[in-house]
Amino acid sequence: MSDTLKHECGIALIRLLKPLEYYKEKYGTAFYGVNKMYLMMEKQHNRGQDGAGFASIKLDTQPGERYISRVRSIAQQPIQDIFSQINGRINKEFTEHPEYKNDVELQKKNIPYIGELLLGHVRYGTFGKNSVESVHPFLRQNNWQHRNLIVAGNFNMTNVTQLFNRLIELGQHPKEKADTITIMEKIGHFLDDSVSKIYKDLKKEGYNKQDASPLIAERLRVAKILKKASKNWDGGYAMAGMLGHGDSFVLRDPAGIRPAYYYKDDEVVVVASERPVIQTVFNVPFEEIVELDPGHAIITKKSGKTAIKKIIEPLERKACSFERIYFSRGSDAEIYQERKELGKLLMPEVLKAIDEDTENTVFSYIPNTAETSFFGMIETVEEFLNYKKTQAILAGKGGLSKERVIEILSERPRIEKIAIKDVKLRTFITEDSSRDDLVEHVYDVTYGVIKPTDNLVIIDDSIVRGTTLKKSIIKMMDRLHPKKIVVVSSAPQIRYPDCYGIDMANLESLVAFRATLALLKDHDKYHLVEEVYHKCKAQVDLEDKDVKNFVKEIYDQFTPEQISNKIAELLSDETVEAEVQIIFQPVENLHKACPKNLGDWYFTGNYPTVGGNRVVNRAFINFYEGNKERAY
């Protein structure tokens, strides 16, 4: 991907269903869960590199024994840092206490991090400070085991202010106005309330406080707590939590915006943000890993009993399409095929752009996430060439010479690795305020394979801001002196901000929006900007359910092709000699390629929750007023 785009986080939850001695005997270590968690987090590092966190709970400990461990990091390699700390502590204990090595009971009693319930999180900081205090899991502590709450999630709420105000109405004094704290305190409030009610019932039944404690764990209804806590949530989320006594849950939003998958056998219950992570780490078949339904939670009691419960009435399914285009690991069987299909579906427009002159066209891709779509694109080129060869041979009616047939059959797609990304250079220059010349060299190119008569077709998975395309990629491609540069995006035009966890919070940074504004000026229609502003302002005090997305009116004035052409104009300055054309995936083709993930609000403005329209209108107001604040 040419534009840097911070996005969703990743979660991993493991519940070991057997005693730790079982894993020691079968797998050679009681730290089986810790080792698996390391692998699950490492294989989701694509989802978050700003920070990582780990928490574990030991079941059935004695009073006075520590049963919750947590470690978080914002080091340059946070996952490595976390598990270096964990392994360092374990090795220190084994060195100082050799008697622990073969005694699982002593290990559990004396060594932190070992446990039956484990939660991991990798984070991209899309908003707020990237401090260790911002890293999940978050911990809400209490001397009552049942009231200890650990939360980590892949989520973003559009209505944090309303949720925060409701906590104040409940008499709370939250320490921070952040969605993670707000959500945790909301769950915590109803957890406390439930524990208190159960205790009162037990007291009436004649139990004292000590005897009541294990019975509270049995009677606690996690689903009921989640139903009350999530009643007014508006956003995309996969929310994971652990209670101090050993219950756990993962709840998915009712539109299925954020992903969650689970697997269960007689040894483990596992939940993760991505399916291939579970498939690889636990070596289980694709078919045995289940997608958690929208609005549902997977709940595992301390006893090990696991159930899928409907918490919120599901909305129309609008799973994030960007997961399929870019975010998720391409090793997922379905995602791999979908990305190839995205490349295939673009080829009719690409062939039109090069006048079907494949002989004088070089095909390449922006490393590395566009590679799979590139494969699909090339398969279609090969199909086109096979048809072309067949027609040429048939036209010869058996009169072609051997040499001519060989000539016809020898044509192949010209595939070259043109763009080479210099990661170290990018890291070096990110904070340099006068960096245009350096930015140009973020990508290098392969020389000697492009002729002045050649077209150069290069595919990227998406074009968000267009900064790297303008300042680096197109200029470097132009140094090869092609006749024409065709930049192909496997995603449609990104026109609207996201409010569910992707770092696209304002409009003016989106190149499609800037291009549309330029077109309004060109066609003497810029007065529409002020008109839309006033329509947005008029909705500020409306209920979210009554708010409409008036920003669509800005885009409705022009065809997608007009906007694409203007984007090409904006991204190629007067120093670029080659003709530049940009081709975007049509939205209908995106749906065809990714039929299960129809969440397309960044492209269409059709937000899956009522809070989305408020956010996009606020983003437009902020743009018009020159306000750099986030829209939610």
Side-chain angles (χ1 to χ4, degrees), residues 99-110:
E99 67 274 15
Y100 292 173
K101 284 192 176 179
N102 294 308
D103 192 323
V104 176
E105 187 178 346
L106 287 176
Q107 289 176 19
K108 181 175 176 179
K109 185 175 181 178
N110 296 289

Side-chain angles (χ1 to χ4, degrees), residues 435-450:
R435 59 188 180 131
D436 280 5
D437 184 54
L438 290 173
V439 168
E440 187 175 332
H441 293 83
V442 163
Y443 285 87
D444 206 343
V445 289
T446 302
Y447 294 94
V449 293
I450 303 288

